[in-house]
Amino acid sequence: MKALEDYTWPGNVRQLQHLIERLVILAPGGRITAEVVEEAIASSNSSQQASDTLADTQTEQIRKVLAATAVTRARRPNSRY
């Protein structure tokens, strides 16, 4: 409980809910220990940082392509406008 209480939860309730679900499913022997919680939190943070990095990379790449092609607005394929 202390590890859960001490964490700042940047993802708010949704992040806590997902972590608890993961702990219930993956806890060795059905026992959730402080070590298991800390590992899950660290893993969750790593996954979130990787997602942010990928999203940032994709956004930056799209901006570069739009700038290189002098496109000011992206549109759907097969769009008339």
Side-chain angles (χ1 to χ4, degrees), residues 3-6 11 13-14 22 26 34 39 46-47 52 55 68 80:
L4 294 172
E5 290 172 353
D6 289 346
V13 175
R14 184 175 295 170
R22 192 171 339 124
L26 300 176
E39 288 175 16
S46 299
S47 297
D52 290 346
R80 293 192 279 165

Side-chain angles (χ1 to χ4, degrees), residues 14 36 43 45 49 64 77:
R14 184 175 295 170
V36 172
S43 174
N45 287 340
Q49 289 172 355
K64 286 179 182 178

Side-chain angles (χ1 to χ4, degrees), residues 27-56:
R31 184 174 172 100
I32 301 172
T33 64
E35 287 178 346
V36 172
V37 171
E38 290 168 2
E39 288 175 16
I41 289 173
S43 174
S44 175
N45 287 340
S46 299
S47 297
Q48 183 62 40
Q49 289 172 355
S51 296
D52 290 346
T53 302
L54 177 59
D56 292 342

